[in-house]
Amino acid sequence: MFTFLLVVHAIIAALLVTVILMQKSEGGGLTTGGSPSGLMSARGAADFLTRATAILAGLFIAMSVALAVIAANRGGSSIDTSLARPMTPPPAATAPANPAANPVGADNGAVPLAR
């Protein structure tokens, strides 16, 4: 069933893209004011492509939510462990062999800065 709904979702997405691309460009979009007889007029609201876009967009959102719920509640899925490496402990920090050879505060042969 999930696969069938996924195919229907892909068809709705393709139809939505097609309907959007078929619409006449009003020019400007959000950057300019456009004409007063735009989307909010009686002609713009009653246009078939505008209504088809709204219906397909609603179906697309509803199918997205439904598929997400179905995928979350779907049982039987497990994590693939075929590439997992065995856990090994990190290497232990090694202490110097002779702690007296490197006393704290020694200059270790560093050259002092010229003043």
Side-chain angles (χ1 to χ4, degrees):
M1 172 149 170
F2 184 78
T3 305
F4 173 73
L5 291 177
L6 198 58
V7 169
V8 171
H9 188 64
I11 292 170
I12 290 172
L15 288 173
L16 184 61
V17 168
T18 304
V19 169
I20 288 172
L21 290 176
M22 286 174 45
Q23 291 182 11
K24 178 184 161 203
S25 175
E26 298 287 329
L30 295 174
T31 58
T32 60
S35 65
S37 64
L39 181 64
M40 300 308 282
S41 68
R43 181 196 59 82
D47 190 24
F48 171 74
L49 292 176
T50 304
R51 287 186 184 212
T53 302
I55 291 169
L56 286 172
L59 285 173
F60 183 81
I61 292 171
M63 287 290 292
S64 297
V65 171
L67 284 170
V69 168
I70 291 171
N73 293 333
R74 211 165 132 178
S77 63
S78 63
I79 298 174
D80 183 19
T81 59
S82 64
L83 298 176
R85 289 186 271 170
M87 293 294 292
T88 58
T94 58
N98 189 359
N102 192 6
V104 176
D107 62 357
N108 294 330
V111 179
L113 297 174
R115 294 185 194 235

